Every structure is written in C-alpha cells, then in structure tokens.
Amino acid sequence: MDLTTIGGIILGFASLIVAFVMEGGSPLALLGLSAAIIVFGGTAGAVIISFSAKQLKMVGSLFSVAFKQQKLDNLAAIEQLVALATSARREGILSLEDKLEGMQDLFFKNAVQLVVDGVDPELVRSILETEIGYMETRHEAGVAVFEAAGGFAPTMGIIGTVTGLIHVLSNLTSVSTLGPLIATAFIATLYGVGSANLLWLPLASKLKQRSKEEILLREIMVEGVLSIQAGENPTVLDQKLKVFLAPRMRERNQDRKGAAATESEVANA
C-alpha cells in the first residue's frame, strides 16, 4: 500500500477533527446522516450523469492505483536495456528473441518483438508512441472522474446547507433549537468542501503523478529499444538514458555499479 496516500488522508481529516475539538466542539456534532446522503449521494449522481458506464467501471481500479505503491523502476529498466544492447552487439538482434519470455512488461516485450521482427525504426516509434498516447488518454479519462467529483462535492454541500436552512426557517417557533439546527445545516458544506479537498482532488493529483511516472518509463523503453535497433554502443546508451533520471537516481546507479565491481573483484581474488 502507498502510505503517502493513506497517511495524507488520515492526517487531513484528523487535523480537522482535532482542531474542531480544541475549539470546544464534540466529534459527534460533525456527524450528519442527511448531510452525508445529500453530499455523497448527490456527488455520485452527478458523476454518473457526467460519464459513460465504461468510464465509471474504471473507478474501482483507479482507487487501487491511487492506494497501491507502483512497482516502477526506471533504473532497472535502463539496466535491462543496456544488457539487451550488449547482447545484441555480441550476438545480433535476433538473439533478443530468446529473452522475450522473461519479460513481464507487455509494452516492453512488444517493443523488443518489433525490433526482432525487423520492423522499420520509424514505424516502431510510431506504433509505440501511439500506444503511449492512448494510454495517456485513458489515464486522463480516469482522472477526470475524480476531478468532477471534486467539483460537484462543494456545490452539493451548499445545496445541503440551503435545504437545511429552509427547514430551520420553516420552524422559527422554537428559538432554543435554532442554533443547533443552523449548525447541523452547515455540516453539509463541511462534508462537501472537505471531501473535495481532502479526498477527490488529491486522488486526482495522485493519479496524474502515477500517469506521468508510467509515461516516463515507457519513453525510456522506446528510446532504449530504438537505440538497440540502431546498434548503439551499450555504454553510450547507458549515458543517453540516464538523462531521464533525477540526479539522486544517477547516484544510485553509480552505487550499484560500484557494488557490482567490488563483488567481482572479491570473486576473482
């Protein structure tokens, strides 16, 4: 599980509750079933109206993406590409066909297969970039669902508050209950604004970040595979693909190489 997503949500809602209690309020005063029905039910209804059934079916898997840690390792991908480049220079491009079975990433596997099949480099790039483009479009469609929920929720909160105030104003005979009823009416606004800014919009931002990370990995694979097809030197390829890495990741790469060299020296001693 991605602890940053879970921890952020818990911290956000806990901060609101703790601050409310510090001001003398009771946590039970924040509970409002009718407000929750209006805000969350109304938000769900508006989202359902806004999107197709096909898009809405993705919501469950999108929650999984947001709450689970992605197993993407750009450095490992570069090392694998360099290893493939070394093999291709020593034994030829066709030798890569034997390594296809061990590849878990379907995009990577298809990219290498295109090169092994001798497809024109420009066509290889076109096919792979088109696949990345459609993947990005699918990701944007999923993000749009959460962004829409973040936009509808505050409005539904206001609607809930207005309906609550209508009820209050229609029962002005009992002045003693006026204050609690008004406070209850504003719970809907709290639910709407709180859920939008602590749940829906942050989840949309998380999904955007996940998408960028996956697209970056795919771009590294495209450049690496095309370089292998062009017969580039593995050392040059390693330096070329490092451009995609942050400085700390490059240091990690150097540390790995240093550890590998030390192990080799020990083994040969």
Side-chain angles (χ1 to χ4, degrees):
M1 299 297 290
D2 187 349
L3 296 180
T4 60
T5 303
I6 299 172
I9 291 174
I10 293 174
L11 177 61
F13 282 104
S15 298
L16 291 178
I17 295 173
V18 170
F20 182 76
V21 172
M22 289 176 64
E23 292 294 328
S26 170
L28 295 177
L30 296 176
L31 300 178
L33 180 59
S34 60
I37 292 173
I38 291 174
V39 172
F40 294 105
T43 299
V47 169
I48 290 171
I49 294 171
S50 302
F51 298 92
S52 65
K54 183 179 180 181
Q55 289 174 293
L56 294 173
K57 286 179 181 178
M58 297 189 301
V59 172
S61 61
L62 291 173
F63 271 111
S64 177
V65 171
F67 283 94
K68 285 186 178 180
Q69 188 70 44
Q70 278 190 312
K71 296 181 180 179
L72 301 179
D73 192 338
N74 295 344
L75 183 54
I78 291 175
E79 291 174 348
Q80 188 175 7
L81 285 163
V82 172
L84 291 176
T86 302
S87 178
R89 281 178 67 88
R90 289 177 179 174
E91 306 170 26
I93 290 290
L94 294 179
S95 66
L96 302 184
E97 189 169 11
D98 297 332
K99 301 181 177 5
L100 291 174
E101 290 185 6
M103 296 180 181
Q104 302 297 322
D105 190 296
L106 186 58
F107 179 88
F108 193 18
K109 185 175 182 178
N110 290 338
V112 176
Q113 183 68 66
L114 289 171
V115 171
V116 171
D117 291 341
V119 179
D120 182 77
E122 289 300 320
L123 182 55
V124 172
R125 180 181 290 276
S126 176
I127 291 173
L128 297 178
E129 289 183 348
T130 299
E131 186 171 346
I132 292 174
Y134 275 106
M135 181 190 71
E136 187 174 8
T137 300
R138 291 194 302 271
H139 291 177
E140 289 174 352
V143 170
V145 174
F146 287 90
E147 288 183 331
F152 291 131
T155 304
M156 291 300 165
I158 293 173
I159 292 174
T161 298
V162 170
T163 57
L165 290 176
I166 290 173
H167 174 66
V168 171
L169 295 175
S170 64
N171 294 276
L172 292 176
T173 54
S174 178
V175 179
S176 60
T177 61
L178 194 60
L181 288 174
I182 292 175
T184 301
F186 278 99
I187 291 177
T189 298
L190 177 64
Y191 282 2
V193 176
S195 63
N197 291 280
L198 292 176
L199 193 61
W200 309 126
L201 295 179
L203 286 177
S205 297
K206 175 70 77 170
L207 290 172
K208 284 182 181 179
Q209 184 59 36
R210 292 274 194 264
S211 178
K212 289 179 181 178
E213 291 171 357
E214 189 170 354
I215 289 171
L216 176 60
L217 177 60
R218 299 289 182 250
E219 290 175 347
I220 290 173
M221 291 176 176
V222 172
E223 291 300 324
V225 167
L226 290 172
S227 296
I228 292 172
Q229 188 177 30
E232 289 187 9
N233 185 290
T235 303
V236 174
L237 176 61
D238 184 45
Q239 295 296 324
K240 178 180 179 180
L241 296 181
K242 279 182 182 178
V243 175
F244 290 93
L245 300 178
R248 59 183 179 82
M249 292 295 291
R250 298 179 194 180
E251 291 175 3
R252 180 182 159 197
N253 187 30
Q254 292 298 329
D255 291 341
R256 279 192 187 183
K257 288 184 176 180
T262 301
E263 290 178 2
S264 178
E265 290 175 1
V266 171
N268 294 328

